[in-house]
Amino acid sequence: MDRNLGVLISGRGSNLQAIIDAIAAGALDARVAAVVSNRPDAPGLERARRAGIETMYLSHRAYPSREDYDRAVVDELRARQVRLVCLAGFMRLLSPVFVQAFPNAILNIHPSLLPAFPGLEAQRQAWAHGVKVSGATVHLVDCDLDAGPIVLQRTVPVLDTDTPETLAARILVEEHTLYPEAIGIVLSGGWRVDGRRFLRFADAARSVEPAHRTT
Ligand code: GRF
């Protein structure tokens, strides 16, 4: 129960799949208690069903305000004893209602080295800006977009031959190992937030090895 995850998606769900696979492989000690989507046709819902995970479609259009919607999602997650909420391509900004319901217990993955290139199409933004290095970031979620304390980051070089699509594909490969690793760190405890800084106690940092890094 204290390792119950709630994963929120809006689309493809490849990061959800990476979490499911890491758990199945024994690389991540956790359980996905529920997958929530705000879109009925999100392909990630099918991935969850295949893995025998409870899915929920909650339409934001059915609620009069962002806060009402967030309260409904929070209620569903609490009913399933979710300890850590993982945003995995969930295309909505969370209101304070949601953020305060799970203090320092909501994670997001973003396909750039934050604070560079927050928001949509981060890989294209990075490519168009001409940076030589980009990557992925897992961070705690606060009320601002792509802004909370950073748990883990991984770099990906930007090649002269890259298009936004090839860069996004290489970043995605890294996302799929970075997210389970970050979830493992957060679930294991032994960390604190000091201002904007996510800090691990020395003994905790030693006890959680990068679970299944492929490079
Ligand atoms: C990923 O690139 C993630 O970094 C961003 O949204 C995308 C979701 O992809 N937040 P998927 O649905 O996990 O395949």
Side-chain angles (χ1 to χ4, degrees), residues 129-190:
H129 194 92
V131 295
K132 299 301 183 195
V133 179
S134 190
T137 303
V138 178
H139 64 92
L140 293 170
V141 170
D142 60 19
C143 293
D144 297 318
L145 180 67
D146 300 328
I150 291 167
V151 177
L152 277 184
Q153 289 185 304
R154 196 166 298 155
T155 58
V156 172
V158 183
L159 309 177
D160 289 354
T161 50
D162 265 329
T163 62
E165 290 75 26
T166 59
L167 176 60
R170 285 207 317 289
I171 292 174
L172 192 63
V173 170
E174 298 304 324
E175 290 184 44
H176 292 164
T177 55
L178 191 70
Y179 211 0
E181 186 181 335
I183 292 167
I185 289 170
V186 171
L187 287 178
S188 299

Short mmCIF file of all heavy atoms in Angstrom, two decimals, residues 129-190:
data_model
loop_
_atom_site.label_atom_id
_atom_site.label_comp_id
_atom_site.label_asym_id
_atom_site.label_seq_id
_atom_site.Cartn_x
_atom_site.Cartn_y
_atom_site.Cartn_z
N HIS A 129 16.10 25.86 -30.87
CA HIS A 129 16.99 26.80 -30.18
C HIS A 129 18.45 26.53 -30.53
O HIS A 129 19.31 27.40 -30.41
CB HIS A 129 16.80 26.71 -28.68
CG HIS A 129 17.43 27.85 -27.93
ND1 HIS A 129 16.72 29.00 -27.63
CD2 HIS A 129 18.69 28.03 -27.48
CE1 HIS A 129 17.54 29.83 -26.99
NE2 HIS A 129 18.74 29.27 -26.88
N GLY A 130 18.72 25.30 -30.95
CA GLY A 130 20.08 24.96 -31.34
C GLY A 130 20.97 24.51 -30.20
O GLY A 130 22.20 24.56 -30.32
N VAL A 131 20.37 24.05 -29.12
CA VAL A 131 21.21 23.55 -28.02
C VAL A 131 21.94 22.29 -28.48
O VAL A 131 21.48 21.58 -29.38
CB VAL A 131 20.38 23.25 -26.74
CG1 VAL A 131 19.79 24.53 -26.17
CG2 VAL A 131 19.29 22.23 -27.01
N LYS A 132 23.08 22.03 -27.87
CA LYS A 132 23.88 20.85 -28.23
C LYS A 132 23.59 19.66 -27.33
O LYS A 132 23.97 18.54 -27.61
CB LYS A 132 25.37 21.19 -28.19
CG LYS A 132 25.77 22.30 -29.16
CD LYS A 132 25.45 21.93 -30.59
CE LYS A 132 25.91 22.99 -31.58
NZ LYS A 132 25.27 22.79 -32.91
N VAL A 133 22.95 19.95 -26.19
CA VAL A 133 22.60 18.89 -25.24
C VAL A 133 21.16 19.15 -24.78
O VAL A 133 20.82 20.27 -24.42
CB VAL A 133 23.53 18.90 -24.01
CG1 VAL A 133 23.11 17.80 -23.03
CG2 VAL A 133 24.97 18.72 -24.41
N SER A 134 20.35 18.11 -24.81
CA SER A 134 19.05 18.21 -24.17
C SER A 134 18.89 16.98 -23.28
O SER A 134 19.90 16.45 -22.81
CB SER A 134 17.93 18.34 -25.20
OG SER A 134 16.72 18.67 -24.55
N GLY A 135 17.66 16.53 -23.06
CA GLY A 135 17.52 15.37 -22.19
C GLY A 135 16.14 15.27 -21.60
O GLY A 135 15.16 15.72 -22.19
N ALA A 136 16.07 14.68 -20.42
CA ALA A 136 14.78 14.47 -19.75
C ALA A 136 14.93 14.79 -18.26
O ALA A 136 16.03 14.66 -17.70
CB ALA A 136 14.32 13.03 -19.93
N THR A 137 13.81 15.19 -17.68
CA THR A 137 13.79 15.58 -16.26
C THR A 137 12.61 14.92 -15.57
O THR A 137 11.50 14.94 -16.10
CB THR A 137 13.61 17.12 -16.14
OG1 THR A 137 14.65 17.79 -16.85
CG2 THR A 137 13.60 17.57 -14.68
N VAL A 138 12.85 14.37 -14.38
CA VAL A 138 11.74 13.96 -13.51
C VAL A 138 11.75 14.91 -12.32
O VAL A 138 12.80 15.12 -11.68
CB VAL A 138 11.87 12.50 -13.03
CG1 VAL A 138 10.73 12.16 -12.08
CG2 VAL A 138 11.88 11.55 -14.22
N HIS A 139 10.59 15.50 -12.05
CA HIS A 139 10.54 16.50 -10.98
C HIS A 139 9.28 16.34 -10.15
O HIS A 139 8.26 15.78 -10.63
CB HIS A 139 10.62 17.92 -11.57
CG HIS A 139 9.46 18.28 -12.46
ND1 HIS A 139 8.33 18.91 -11.99
CD2 HIS A 139 9.24 18.06 -13.78
CE1 HIS A 139 7.48 19.09 -12.99
NE2 HIS A 139 8.00 18.58 -14.09
N LEU A 140 9.34 16.83 -8.92
CA LEU A 140 8.15 16.92 -8.09
C LEU A 140 7.26 18.02 -8.67
O LEU A 140 7.77 19.00 -9.22
CB LEU A 140 8.52 17.26 -6.64
CG LEU A 140 9.29 16.17 -5.88
CD1 LEU A 140 9.82 16.73 -4.55
CD2 LEU A 140 8.40 14.96 -5.61
N VAL A 141 5.97 17.83 -8.53
CA VAL A 141 5.03 18.77 -9.16
C VAL A 141 4.53 19.78 -8.15
O VAL A 141 4.12 19.41 -7.04
CB VAL A 141 3.84 17.98 -9.76
CG1 VAL A 141 2.72 18.92 -10.21
CG2 VAL A 141 4.33 17.12 -10.93
N ASP A 142 4.63 21.04 -8.53
CA ASP A 142 3.96 22.09 -7.76
C ASP A 142 2.92 22.74 -8.68
O ASP A 142 2.58 22.18 -9.72
CB ASP A 142 4.97 23.07 -7.16
CG ASP A 142 5.79 23.77 -8.23
OD1 ASP A 142 5.37 23.78 -9.40
OD2 ASP A 142 6.87 24.31 -7.89
N CYS A 143 2.44 23.91 -8.29
CA CYS A 143 1.31 24.48 -9.06
C CYS A 143 1.75 25.14 -10.36
O CYS A 143 0.91 25.53 -11.18
CB CYS A 143 0.55 25.48 -8.20
SG CYS A 143 -0.30 24.67 -6.84
N ASP A 144 3.05 25.28 -10.58
CA ASP A 144 3.51 25.91 -11.81
C ASP A 144 3.87 24.84 -12.85
O ASP A 144 4.21 23.70 -12.48
CB ASP A 144 4.71 26.81 -11.53
CG ASP A 144 4.32 27.95 -10.61
OD1 ASP A 144 3.22 28.52 -10.81
OD2 ASP A 144 5.08 28.24 -9.67
N LEU A 145 3.85 25.24 -14.10
CA LEU A 145 4.06 24.28 -15.18
C LEU A 145 5.53 23.84 -15.24
O LEU A 145 6.42 24.68 -15.37
CB LEU A 145 3.65 24.91 -16.52
CG LEU A 145 3.81 24.04 -17.76
CD1 LEU A 145 2.84 22.87 -17.72
CD2 LEU A 145 3.63 24.87 -19.02
N ASP A 146 5.77 22.54 -15.13
CA ASP A 146 7.11 21.95 -15.30
C ASP A 146 8.15 22.65 -14.42
O ASP A 146 9.26 22.96 -14.88
CB ASP A 146 7.54 22.03 -16.78
CG ASP A 146 6.58 21.28 -17.69
OD1 ASP A 146 6.01 20.26 -17.24
OD2 ASP A 146 6.40 21.70 -18.84
N ALA A 147 7.80 22.86 -13.15
CA ALA A 147 8.61 23.77 -12.35
C ALA A 147 9.11 23.24 -11.01
O ALA A 147 9.95 23.88 -10.38
CB ALA A 147 7.82 25.05 -12.10
N GLY A 148 8.63 22.11 -10.52
CA GLY A 148 8.97 21.71 -9.15
C GLY A 148 10.38 21.19 -9.00
O GLY A 148 11.13 21.07 -9.99
N PRO A 149 10.79 20.87 -7.77
CA PRO A 149 12.15 20.38 -7.49
C PRO A 149 12.52 19.16 -8.34
O PRO A 149 11.71 18.24 -8.51
CB PRO A 149 12.10 20.02 -6.00
CG PRO A 149 11.04 20.90 -5.44
CD PRO A 149 10.01 21.04 -6.52
N ILE A 150 13.74 19.18 -8.83
CA ILE A 150 14.20 18.16 -9.78
C ILE A 150 14.73 16.94 -9.03
O ILE A 150 15.63 17.06 -8.19
CB ILE A 150 15.29 18.77 -10.70
CG1 ILE A 150 14.63 19.80 -11.63
CG2 ILE A 150 16.00 17.68 -11.50
CD1 ILE A 150 15.62 20.69 -12.36
N VAL A 151 14.19 15.76 -9.36
CA VAL A 151 14.63 14.52 -8.74
C VAL A 151 15.80 13.92 -9.52
O VAL A 151 16.83 13.55 -8.95
CB VAL A 151 13.46 13.51 -8.65
CG1 VAL A 151 13.92 12.18 -8.07
CG2 VAL A 151 12.32 14.08 -7.83
N LEU A 152 15.64 13.80 -10.82
CA LEU A 152 16.69 13.21 -11.67
C LEU A 152 16.64 13.86 -13.05
O LEU A 152 15.57 14.24 -13.52
CB LEU A 152 16.45 11.72 -11.89
CG LEU A 152 16.90 10.68 -10.88
CD1 LEU A 152 16.61 9.28 -11.44
CD2 LEU A 152 18.37 10.80 -10.52
N GLN A 153 17.80 13.93 -13.68
CA GLN A 153 17.87 14.37 -15.07
C GLN A 153 18.83 13.48 -15.82
O GLN A 153 19.75 12.91 -15.23
CB GLN A 153 18.37 15.83 -15.18
CG GLN A 153 17.36 16.83 -14.68
CD GLN A 153 17.79 18.26 -14.90
OE1 GLN A 153 18.86 18.65 -14.45
NE2 GLN A 153 16.96 19.04 -15.55
N ARG A 154 18.62 13.36 -17.11
CA ARG A 154 19.59 12.65 -17.94
C ARG A 154 19.79 13.42 -19.24
O ARG A 154 18.82 13.92 -19.81
CB ARG A 154 19.14 11.22 -18.23
CG ARG A 154 20.30 10.38 -18.75
CD ARG A 154 20.01 8.92 -18.75
NE ARG A 154 19.75 8.41 -17.41
CZ ARG A 154 19.02 7.32 -17.18
NH1 ARG A 154 18.48 6.67 -18.17
NH2 ARG A 154 18.84 6.89 -15.95
N THR A 155 21.02 13.48 -19.67
CA THR A 155 21.33 14.26 -20.87
C THR A 155 21.28 13.40 -22.13
O THR A 155 21.53 12.19 -22.08
CB THR A 155 22.74 14.89 -20.77
OG1 THR A 155 23.69 13.83 -20.58
CG2 THR A 155 22.83 15.88 -19.62
N VAL A 156 20.97 14.06 -23.21
CA VAL A 156 20.98 13.43 -24.54
C VAL A 156 21.63 14.44 -25.50
O VAL A 156 21.18 15.59 -25.56
CB VAL A 156 19.54 13.12 -25.01
CG1 VAL A 156 19.51 12.65 -26.46
CG2 VAL A 156 18.90 12.07 -24.11
N PRO A 157 22.67 14.04 -26.22
CA PRO A 157 23.28 15.00 -27.16
C PRO A 157 22.34 15.31 -28.32
O PRO A 157 21.58 14.44 -28.76
CB PRO A 157 24.53 14.25 -27.66
CG PRO A 157 24.31 12.82 -27.34
CD PRO A 157 23.34 12.74 -26.20
N VAL A 158 22.42 16.55 -28.79
CA VAL A 158 21.65 16.93 -29.99
C VAL A 158 22.62 16.90 -31.17
O VAL A 158 23.65 17.59 -31.15
CB VAL A 158 21.03 18.34 -29.84
CG1 VAL A 158 20.19 18.66 -31.08
CG2 VAL A 158 20.19 18.42 -28.56
N LEU A 159 22.31 16.08 -32.16
CA LEU A 159 23.21 15.90 -33.29
C LEU A 159 22.85 16.85 -34.43
O LEU A 159 21.68 17.23 -34.58
CB LEU A 159 23.12 14.45 -33.80
CG LEU A 159 23.26 13.36 -32.73
CD1 LEU A 159 23.07 11.98 -33.35
CD2 LEU A 159 24.61 13.47 -32.03
N ASP A 160 23.84 17.20 -35.24
CA ASP A 160 23.57 18.08 -36.39
C ASP A 160 22.55 17.46 -37.33
O ASP A 160 21.82 18.16 -38.03
CB ASP A 160 24.87 18.35 -37.17
CG ASP A 160 25.81 19.25 -36.38
OD1 ASP A 160 25.40 19.73 -35.31
OD2 ASP A 160 26.95 19.45 -36.83
N THR A 161 22.53 16.15 -37.36
CA THR A 161 21.62 15.45 -38.27
C THR A 161 20.22 15.25 -37.68
O THR A 161 19.34 14.71 -38.35
CB THR A 161 22.20 14.05 -38.60
OG1 THR A 161 22.55 13.42 -37.36
CG2 THR A 161 23.43 14.17 -39.48
N ASP A 162 20.02 15.67 -36.44
CA ASP A 162 18.73 15.44 -35.79
C ASP A 162 17.60 16.23 -36.43
O ASP A 162 17.81 17.36 -36.91
CB ASP A 162 18.79 15.82 -34.30
CG ASP A 162 19.08 14.62 -33.41
OD1 ASP A 162 18.66 13.51 -33.77
OD2 ASP A 162 19.72 14.82 -32.36
N THR A 163 16.42 15.66 -36.41
CA THR A 163 15.17 16.40 -36.61
C THR A 163 14.50 16.42 -35.23
O THR A 163 14.92 15.68 -34.33
CB THR A 163 14.24 15.66 -37.60
OG1 THR A 163 13.91 14.38 -37.01
CG2 THR A 163 14.93 15.44 -38.95
N PRO A 164 13.46 17.23 -35.06
CA PRO A 164 12.76 17.17 -33.77
C PRO A 164 12.29 15.75 -33.44
O PRO A 164 12.32 15.34 -32.28
CB PRO A 164 11.56 18.11 -33.98
CG PRO A 164 12.01 19.07 -35.02
CD PRO A 164 12.93 18.30 -35.93
N GLU A 165 11.94 15.01 -34.47
CA GLU A 165 11.42 13.65 -34.24
C GLU A 165 12.53 12.69 -33.80
O GLU A 165 12.32 11.88 -32.90
CB GLU A 165 10.76 13.12 -35.53
CG GLU A 165 9.45 13.83 -35.89
CD GLU A 165 9.64 15.23 -36.46
OE1 GLU A 165 10.72 15.50 -37.03
OE2 GLU A 165 8.73 16.06 -36.32
N THR A 166 13.69 12.75 -34.44
CA THR A 166 14.76 11.81 -34.05
C THR A 166 15.27 12.16 -32.64
O THR A 166 15.59 11.27 -31.85
CB THR A 166 15.94 11.81 -35.05
OG1 THR A 166 16.49 13.12 -35.14
CG2 THR A 166 15.49 11.34 -36.43
N LEU A 167 15.33 13.45 -32.36
CA LEU A 167 15.75 13.85 -31.01
C LEU A 167 14.74 13.36 -29.97
O LEU A 167 15.11 12.79 -28.94
CB LEU A 167 15.89 15.38 -30.93
CG LEU A 167 16.24 15.94 -29.56
CD1 LEU A 167 17.57 15.39 -29.05
CD2 LEU A 167 16.26 17.48 -29.60
N ALA A 168 13.45 13.56 -30.27
CA ALA A 168 12.40 13.12 -29.33
C ALA A 168 12.48 11.61 -29.10
O ALA A 168 12.32 11.14 -27.97
CB ALA A 168 11.03 13.50 -29.87
N ALA A 169 12.78 10.87 -30.15
CA ALA A 169 12.84 9.40 -30.02
C ALA A 169 14.00 9.00 -29.11
O ALA A 169 13.85 8.09 -28.27
CB ALA A 169 12.99 8.77 -31.40
N ARG A 170 15.16 9.68 -29.25
CA ARG A 170 16.29 9.31 -28.38
C ARG A 170 16.05 9.74 -26.94
O ARG A 170 16.44 9.06 -25.99
CB ARG A 170 17.60 9.89 -28.91
CG ARG A 170 18.14 9.14 -30.14
CD ARG A 170 19.66 9.23 -30.26
NE ARG A 170 20.18 10.55 -30.01
CZ ARG A 170 20.01 11.59 -30.83
NH1 ARG A 170 19.35 11.48 -31.95
NH2 ARG A 170 20.52 12.77 -30.52
N ILE A 171 15.40 10.88 -26.76
CA ILE A 171 15.08 11.31 -25.40
C ILE A 171 14.10 10.31 -24.76
O ILE A 171 14.24 9.94 -23.59
CB ILE A 171 14.49 12.75 -25.39
CG1 ILE A 171 15.58 13.75 -25.79
CG2 ILE A 171 13.91 13.09 -24.01
CD1 ILE A 171 15.07 15.18 -25.96
N LEU A 172 13.13 9.85 -25.55
CA LEU A 172 12.12 8.93 -25.01
C LEU A 172 12.75 7.64 -24.49
O LEU A 172 12.34 7.12 -23.45
CB LEU A 172 11.07 8.62 -26.10
CG LEU A 172 9.80 7.91 -25.61
CD1 LEU A 172 9.02 8.79 -24.63
CD2 LEU A 172 8.90 7.54 -26.79
N VAL A 173 13.77 7.16 -25.20
CA VAL A 173 14.47 5.95 -24.74
C VAL A 173 15.00 6.18 -23.32
O VAL A 173 14.89 5.32 -22.44
CB VAL A 173 15.61 5.58 -25.70
CG1 VAL A 173 16.49 4.48 -25.11
CG2 VAL A 173 15.06 5.16 -27.06
N GLU A 174 15.56 7.35 -23.10
CA GLU A 174 16.11 7.67 -21.76
C GLU A 174 14.99 7.85 -20.74
O GLU A 174 15.13 7.46 -19.57
CB GLU A 174 16.98 8.92 -21.83
CG GLU A 174 18.20 8.77 -22.72
CD GLU A 174 19.08 7.59 -22.33
OE1 GLU A 174 19.22 7.32 -21.12
OE2 GLU A 174 19.62 6.94 -23.23
N GLU A 175 13.89 8.46 -21.17
CA GLU A 175 12.76 8.65 -20.25
C GLU A 175 12.33 7.32 -19.64
O GLU A 175 11.99 7.24 -18.45
CB GLU A 175 11.56 9.25 -20.98
CG GLU A 175 11.73 10.69 -21.41
CD GLU A 175 10.45 11.23 -22.06
OE1 GLU A 175 9.36 10.99 -21.52
OE2 GLU A 175 10.56 11.89 -23.11
N HIS A 176 12.38 6.29 -20.47
CA HIS A 176 11.81 5.00 -20.04
C HIS A 176 12.62 4.32 -18.95
O HIS A 176 12.12 3.42 -18.28
CB HIS A 176 11.63 4.09 -21.25
CG HIS A 176 10.57 4.58 -22.19
ND1 HIS A 176 10.44 4.13 -23.48
CD2 HIS A 176 9.59 5.52 -21.99
CE1 HIS A 176 9.42 4.75 -24.05
NE2 HIS A 176 8.89 5.60 -23.18
N THR A 177 13.88 4.68 -18.80
CA THR A 177 14.62 4.15 -17.64
C THR A 177 14.69 5.19 -16.52
O THR A 177 14.77 4.84 -15.34
CB THR A 177 16.04 3.70 -18.03
OG1 THR A 177 16.72 4.78 -18.67
CG2 THR A 177 15.99 2.49 -18.96
N LEU A 178 14.67 6.46 -16.91
CA LEU A 178 14.78 7.52 -15.90
C LEU A 178 13.57 7.55 -14.97
O LEU A 178 13.72 7.71 -13.74
CB LEU A 178 14.91 8.88 -16.62
CG LEU A 178 15.30 10.06 -15.75
CD1 LEU A 178 16.75 9.93 -15.29
CD2 LEU A 178 15.12 11.37 -16.51
N TYR A 179 12.37 7.37 -15.53
CA TYR A 179 11.17 7.53 -14.70
C TYR A 179 11.08 6.43 -13.63
O TYR A 179 10.92 6.74 -12.44
CB TYR A 179 9.92 7.59 -15.58
CG TYR A 179 8.79 8.43 -15.00
CD1 TYR A 179 8.92 9.08 -13.77
CD2 TYR A 179 7.59 8.60 -15.68
CE1 TYR A 179 7.90 9.85 -13.24
CE2 TYR A 179 6.56 9.37 -15.16
CZ TYR A 179 6.71 10.00 -13.94
OH TYR A 179 5.70 10.77 -13.42
N PRO A 180 11.21 5.15 -14.02
CA PRO A 180 11.19 4.12 -12.96
C PRO A 180 12.28 4.33 -11.91
O PRO A 180 12.05 4.11 -10.72
CB PRO A 180 11.41 2.82 -13.74
CG PRO A 180 10.92 3.10 -15.12
CD PRO A 180 11.28 4.54 -15.37
N GLU A 181 13.44 4.77 -12.34
CA GLU A 181 14.53 5.00 -11.38
C GLU A 181 14.14 6.11 -10.39
O GLU A 181 14.32 5.97 -9.17
CB GLU A 181 15.81 5.37 -12.13
CG GLU A 181 17.01 5.49 -11.22
CD GLU A 181 18.27 5.88 -11.98
OE1 GLU A 181 18.35 5.61 -13.20
OE2 GLU A 181 19.17 6.46 -11.36
N ALA A 182 13.57 7.18 -10.91
CA ALA A 182 13.17 8.30 -10.04
C ALA A 182 12.05 7.88 -9.09
O ALA A 182 12.05 8.25 -7.91
CB ALA A 182 12.73 9.49 -10.89
N ILE A 183 11.11 7.09 -9.59
CA ILE A 183 10.01 6.62 -8.74
C ILE A 183 10.58 5.78 -7.59
O ILE A 183 10.18 5.93 -6.43
CB ILE A 183 9.00 5.80 -9.58
CG1 ILE A 183 8.26 6.72 -10.56
CG2 ILE A 183 8.00 5.07 -8.68
CD1 ILE A 183 7.48 5.99 -11.64
N GLY A 184 11.54 4.92 -7.91
CA GLY A 184 12.17 4.10 -6.88
C GLY A 184 12.84 4.95 -5.81
O GLY A 184 12.74 4.67 -4.61
N ILE A 185 13.50 6.00 -6.23
CA ILE A 185 14.17 6.89 -5.28
C ILE A 185 13.15 7.56 -4.37
O ILE A 185 13.30 7.59 -3.14
CB ILE A 185 14.99 7.95 -6.05
CG1 ILE A 185 16.21 7.30 -6.70
CG2 ILE A 185 15.39 9.10 -5.13
CD1 ILE A 185 16.96 8.21 -7.66
N VAL A 186 12.08 8.07 -4.96
CA VAL A 186 11.10 8.80 -4.15
C VAL A 186 10.39 7.85 -3.19
O VAL A 186 10.18 8.17 -2.01
CB VAL A 186 10.10 9.55 -5.07
CG1 VAL A 186 8.94 10.12 -4.28
CG2 VAL A 186 10.83 10.66 -5.83
N LEU A 187 10.05 6.64 -3.65
CA LEU A 187 9.37 5.69 -2.78
C LEU A 187 10.26 5.21 -1.64
O LEU A 187 9.78 4.87 -0.57
CB LEU A 187 8.90 4.47 -3.58
CG LEU A 187 7.70 4.65 -4.51
CD1 LEU A 187 7.41 3.35 -5.24
CD2 LEU A 187 6.46 5.11 -3.73
N SER A 188 11.55 5.17 -1.88
CA SER A 188 12.45 4.64 -0.87
C SER A 188 12.71 5.60 0.28
O SER A 188 13.28 5.21 1.29
CB SER A 188 13.79 4.28 -1.51
OG SER A 188 13.57 3.31 -2.49
N GLY A 189 12.30 6.86 0.13
CA GLY A 189 12.50 7.83 1.20
C GLY A 189 13.97 8.22 1.30
O GLY A 189 14.75 8.01 0.36
N GLY A 190 14.34 8.79 2.44
CA GLY A 190 15.73 9.20 2.59
C GLY A 190 16.06 10.41 1.74
O GLY A 190 17.16 10.52 1.20
#
